[in-house]
Amino acid sequence: MTRMLPAHVFSLEPAAVMRVLAGLRYLAVALMGIAVVLMAVAGRDLPPVLWSLPAILLAFNLGVAWRLRRLAQPSALELVGHLAVDTLALFVLFWTVGGATNPFVSLFLVPVALAATALSIRHAIAVTLLAVAAYTALLLRYLWRIQDPEAFVGFERHVVGMWGNFLLAAALLCGFLLVLAAVLRARERELAAQRERLMRDDAVVSVATVAAGAAHALNTPLSTIAVAAESLAEHPELPADMREEVATIRSQAELCATELRRLVAARDPKAQEVTSLQRYIARLVSDWRARRPEIDLIEHGRATLDERALRNDPALTQALANLLDNAADAAIAAGDHRLWLTWARESTVLEVAIDDPGRGLARGAGNGSAKSGGLGLGLTLARASLSRLGGDLVFTASARGGTRTLVHLPLDALEREAA
């Protein structure tokens, strides 16, 4: 069975690259120290900078190790500084030993590769230009020492060709790794979104399992309540005020029974009724107004919708009703009882906008509702239902000063299944 790769496989964070750099730096210090000792034993007269360079890099590396222990996530600009230090250290080493003819001058490509892997395009190009400038300075110094212009043959042309090859290699390496890093970052974001969807779907499946059991268990008690309320309503000595209470009990029990029937119908899309878009919206709004009579719902745009046939999906109905409930609770908390509901259609996408005077967007930051006394499942179920149908849910600031709940719902799936 194929396993999903963990998130850290595609991690290109500055801290990880700085740890790799620290390891390479320790290796470079060891190799430079060995080379300096061997040249000293061979009787070479070494400049002081060549003796001090390994010690300077070692001290810098110890400081980096201390810094990484205290700072979990350094900035990208700090990584640029570290790559610049390594590039300048290579420049000093090659300036002292060999110059542009040093066989290890291609090590300038290492900072370029690391920068293109972990940094943005701007920072990667800056490190690449620094490496190119360092190599160019070594080449110009080498060419400046040639006294006779006619001597510019053979090996000198080879050195210039090495410089040109370095420019081409640096450009190709930087460009390729930038594209690869962008693809890996996009893949990592996709995997993170998939993990979030799996977690949300797992929670929804758990709720659906419990809801199916509850629907089965509540069917008998609701039938008993309805029969008892009907018998009580027929009692001749029942006071008038009690008759109103009994009527309320009967209507609420009927609403519960209707919701249970919708829950059962949601299991099989083929068993769901087919209705027009206009009729579906009219029933949705009418049922919601009956359930929340304290809210002044101001509706716009319904007349512009057509009469196309749609499958009456109970999950979608509940999702839109939950969003309306969430907005209504936010409006009441803000001391206002008004909601604005706007319908619009662009091609095959239905747009639903719910504006409420609630303050802030806190309830849209997570999956649950921020209202007190709720179960915290309204937005979770709404997101899951809309995602299953290919829709999305966005919270933005409303032009009326509160919060806008914006739903984009493709109608293709509902139309195909209805047909």
Side-chain angles (χ1 to χ4, degrees):
M1 181 179 293
T2 303
R3 291 192 303 127
M4 185 182 297
L5 293 175
H8 61 78
V9 171
F10 300 110
S11 177
L12 301 169
E13 297 173 349
V17 180
M18 287 171 64
R19 292 187 181 93
V20 173
L21 270 176
L24 294 176
R25 210 174 284 123
Y26 280 126
L27 179 62
V29 168
L31 293 177
M32 281 192 291
I34 293 173
V36 168
V37 171
L38 290 178
M39 286 189 291
V41 171
R44 295 280 303 273
D45 186 16
L46 302 177
V49 66
L50 200 56
W51 287 96
S52 59
L53 186 59
I56 293 174
L57 286 179
L58 180 60
F60 178 75
N61 225 25
L62 294 176
V64 170
W66 175 83
R67 172 75 169 168
L68 288 176
R69 283 195 299 268
R70 295 179 60 88
L71 185 64
Q73 189 55 255
S75 65
L77 195 59
E78 188 171 352
L79 176 58
V80 172
H82 286 212
L83 293 172
V85 168
D86 292 327
T87 303
L88 293 177
L90 289 174
F91 174 74
V92 172
L93 176 64
F94 295 145
W95 186 274
T96 307
V97 182
T101 62
N102 192 300
F104 299 102
V105 73
S106 59
L107 287 176
F108 278 127
L109 290 175
V110 175
V112 173
L114 292 174
T117 302
L119 296 173
S120 64
I121 296 178
R122 179 183 60 181
H123 291 149
I125 291 177
V127 174
T128 302
L129 291 178
L130 178 62
V132 169
Y135 195 167
T136 304
L138 296 176
L139 176 67
L140 292 177
R141 181 189 181 217
Y142 172 76
L143 296 178
W144 183 263
R145 291 183 174 182
I146 300 177
Q147 300 295 329
D148 186 5
E150 297 181 358
F152 189 74
V153 293
F155 185 70
E156 286 73 18
R157 292 182 180 179
H158 173 73
V159 173
V160 175
M162 287 174 54
W163 173 79
N165 179 68
F166 174 82
L167 293 184
L168 180 61
L172 292 177
L173 184 64
C174 182
F176 173 76
L177 289 180
L178 281 174
V179 173
L180 180 61
V183 171
L184 292 179
R185 291 190 184 99
R187 179 60 175 165
E188 185 175 358
R189 288 192 296 270
E190 182 181 346
L191 288 175
Q194 184 177 357
R195 287 194 298 272
E196 183 180 352
R197 285 195 298 269
L198 288 175
M199 292 175 60
R200 185 175 62 227
D201 291 346
D202 184 62
V204 171
V205 168
S206 300
V207 172
T209 303
V210 176
H216 180 72
L218 289 175
N219 189 43
T220 299
L222 281 174
S223 299
T224 303
I225 292 173
V227 172
E230 185 176 357
S231 300
L232 187 61
E234 295 175 354
H235 196 282
E237 298 180 0
L238 188 68
D241 56 343
M242 293 299 296
R243 289 185 184 276
E244 293 180 2
E245 298 293 336
V246 171
T248 301
I249 293 174
R250 294 177 63 184
S251 64
Q252 294 300 315
E254 180 60 30
L255 283 176
C256 293
T258 302
E259 292 299 326
L260 290 180
R261 288 193 293 271
R262 288 179 179 176
L263 178 61
V264 174
R267 297 180 303 175
D268 185 10
K270 294 181 180 179
Q272 297 165 6
E273 66 172 330
V274 176
T275 184
S276 67
L277 179 60
Q278 284 274 9
R279 188 177 302 173
Y280 171 78
I281 292 175
R283 184 183 302 176
L284 168 69
V285 174
S286 175
D287 291 347
W288 191 85
R289 286 182 188 272
R291 191 160 52 85
R292 301 297 298 264
E294 74 279 11
I295 299 297
D296 180 15
L297 185 64
I298 305 169
E299 195 176 2
H300 300 284
R302 192 200 301 184
T304 62
L305 303 179
D306 54 21
E307 291 286 342
R308 64 179 59 202
L310 298 176
R311 175 172 55 84
N312 189 354
D313 191 331
L316 174 61
T317 303
Q318 180 150 36
L320 296 176
N322 284 340
L323 294 177
L324 285 168
D325 285 337
N326 194 56
D329 294 333
I332 293 174
D336 199 336
H337 288 234
R338 292 177 300 168
L339 286 185
W340 292 267
L341 177 60
T342 304
W343 305 92
R345 188 175 67 84
E346 293 186 4
S347 184
T348 60
V349 177
L350 176 66
E351 293 187 356
V352 186
I354 306 171
D355 294 282
D356 66 74
R359 298 180 179 88
L361 299 173
R363 63 180 182 279
N367 289 329
S369 176
K371 66 184 179 184
S372 60
L375 298 178
L377 295 175
L379 288 181
T380 301
L381 296 175
R383 288 183 189 276
S385 298
L386 292 171
S387 178
R388 181 176 59 85
L389 295 171
D392 60 9
L393 173 62
V394 180
F395 292 90
T396 61
S398 172
R400 293 181 169 88
T403 303
R404 163 165 284 200
T405 304
L406 189 59
V407 174
H408 294 89
L409 178 65
L411 299 176
D412 291 341
L414 295 173
E415 286 180 341
R416 284 196 299 269
E417 295 178 6

